[in-house]
Amino acid sequence: MSMIFFACVVRVRDGLPLSASTDFHLNQDFLECRKRLKALSSILARYPSRGTAKGRNLSIHFLSSGDIACMAICSSSYSTIMAFCFLEELRWEFAASYNARSINSASRPYAFIEFDNIIQKVKHHFNSTRGSRAKGSWERVEEELQLQPPVQLQLENTELLNGLSNGGHAGGHVEVAPTYRMQPVTPLGILSLVLNIMCGALNLIRGVHLAEYSFQEDHEGIGNVIAFLLPFLACVFQCYLYLFYSSARKVKTFVLLFCVCSCNIYLYGLRNLWQISFHIGVAFLSSYQILTRQLLEKQPDCGV
């Protein structure tokens, strides 16, 4: 299948990964290609601004500009011109979001992890619509590639293999796919999980009980059933967002909070003010815990 599988932004001088798409494929060819992308990212300063490392099934494309380079893993059948259109759009988006000072001062991998939302949107657009948004730049990129063809590498290139085994000088922090480790769970966080599970259970029990009655006798009560079951799902997802990293966490957190609040207000009459206040209070506590639990900074492994 012709498509873009993975993309990342790295700092050219040392290969420090600044952001990456959250794509996890278990295909052996893809995993091997990621290792070679890691090796290549640490030696990008040696190459021209554009390059392609061709493989039998997968290819790596990179585009360097100033302090950063955008890299992508695509199927070998994917158009080279379209791949560089994708990388160019990614470069413009990143340059519009971060200045040179913040890029140069970045000291830890994936310092701009929030940019993965933009990477996913652009990647999804190019994969789903064949990059119609890039048609305007297609001719320009095609002309540039004809005037200055990208350097051609092979994935089996011995220099890349040496980079895998001798890449310690580039910093042991270089990773191709981010490993998201969260800060330790706090006692208040555990309390929010327990309360969230309790609220979710109460919503599920009330919703199922009301559904049995509504489907048999009161068909107008379906809205109340939905208003119980939606907060149940919201509680489950709040627990997930607290325990595990997810892109666009802030947006998802506020959507879930709004869902819990609006549904409980809708249920006024079936719940009294104290019950509504309790459920909304737990939702606010959980949202606060989600937003304050950040990614754990990854420490360099110093070549170990």
Side-chain angles (χ1 to χ4, degrees):
M1 184 178 182
S2 181
M3 65 182 299
I4 302 166
F5 291 102
F6 175 83
C8 64
V9 181
V10 303
R11 191 164 61 192
V12 173
R13 74 168 188 260
D14 56 3
L16 179 75
L18 302 174
S19 189
S21 57
T22 50
D23 300 279
F24 301 97
H25 301 279
L26 298 180
N27 180 277
Q28 189 59 39
D29 289 343
F30 179 81
L31 296 177
E32 186 66 24
C33 194
R34 276 176 31 185
K35 292 180 182 179
R36 297 180 187 277
L37 184 146
K38 170 184 174 178
L40 179 58
S41 68
S42 65
I43 54 174
L44 282 176
R46 306 180 190 176
Y47 294 106
S49 60
R50 287 191 178 98
T52 296
K54 285 282 187 180
R56 185 174 60 180
N57 298 317
L58 298 173
S59 296
I60 298 173
H61 304 279
F62 64 85
L63 173 66
S64 302
S65 176
D67 298 318
I68 66 167
C70 298
M71 308 182 73
I73 296 177
C74 308
S75 53
S76 293
S77 59
Y78 193 79
S79 165
T80 300
I81 299 174
M82 188 66 75
F84 281 104
C85 287
F86 165 75
L87 292 176
E88 199 159 277
E89 182 157 347
L90 213 58
R91 177 177 64 86
W92 279 109
E93 292 283 359
F94 193 88
S97 303
Y98 308 101
N99 56 39
R101 177 179 296 180
S102 62
I103 293 170
N104 288 323
S105 62
S107 59
R108 61 184 178 86
Y110 308 108
F112 310 113
I113 190 62
E114 66 277 1
F115 188 72
D116 76 313
N117 297 325
I118 303 297
I119 297 177
Q120 294 286 17
K121 288 179 183 178
V122 177
K123 182 167 69 71
H124 175 74
H125 178 84
F126 273 77
N127 282 338
S128 61
T129 64
R130 307 299 297 166
S132 59
R133 186 167 53 178
K135 289 181 179 178
S137 59
W138 174 282
E139 293 180 358
R140 178 179 56 79
V141 172
E142 184 179 26
E143 183 178 353
E144 290 176 357
L145 293 179
Q146 289 175 349
L147 293 173
Q148 188 180 1
V151 61
Q152 296 294 318
L153 306 172
Q154 295 295 323
L155 283 183
E156 296 77 18
N157 190 299
T158 54
E159 188 173 15
L160 293 186
L161 290 174
N162 289 337
L164 281 172
S165 59
N166 301 320
H169 67 279
H173 54 255
V174 180
E175 298 286 344
V176 175
T179 301
Y180 300 113
R181 294 187 59 191
M182 308 292 292
Q183 292 176 346
V185 176
T186 62
L188 191 58
I190 294 174
L191 176 63
S192 71
L193 286 174
V194 172
L195 292 176
N196 229 338
I197 293 171
M198 184 174 70
C199 288
L202 289 173
N203 286 319
L204 180 62
I205 293 171
R206 291 289 303 274
V208 171
H209 178 74
L210 189 61
E212 294 176 352
Y213 173 76
S214 298
F215 289 134
Q216 293 176 5
E217 299 184 26
D218 181 17
H219 295 285
E220 296 181 356
I222 301 299
N224 293 330
V225 174
I226 295 174
F228 276 116
L229 295 182
L230 279 180
F232 160 70
L233 295 175
C235 289
V236 172
F237 281 113
Q238 279 188 324
C239 291
Y240 176 84
L241 286 178
Y242 179 72
L243 293 173
F244 306 103
Y245 174 79
S246 174
S247 59
R249 291 176 77 225
K250 185 178 293 185
V251 174
K252 294 175 182 176
T253 299
F254 284 116
V255 169
L256 294 175
L257 177 61
F258 175 78
C259 174
V260 172
C261 292
S262 57
C263 287
N264 275 280
I265 293 173
Y266 179 85
L267 290 171
Y268 180 68
L270 293 177
R271 278 181 172 157
N272 58 42
L273 287 176
W274 288 108
Q275 292 172 325
I276 293 174
S277 299
F278 174 74
H279 282 268
I280 292 178
V282 171
F284 269 97
L285 175 62
S286 298
S287 299
Y288 174 76
Q289 290 300 306
I290 292 170
L291 296 176
T292 55
R293 189 177 184 224
Q294 302 296 322
L295 285 170
L296 189 66
E297 290 193 7
K298 183 177 177 182
Q299 300 299 324
D301 56 14
C302 302
V304 177

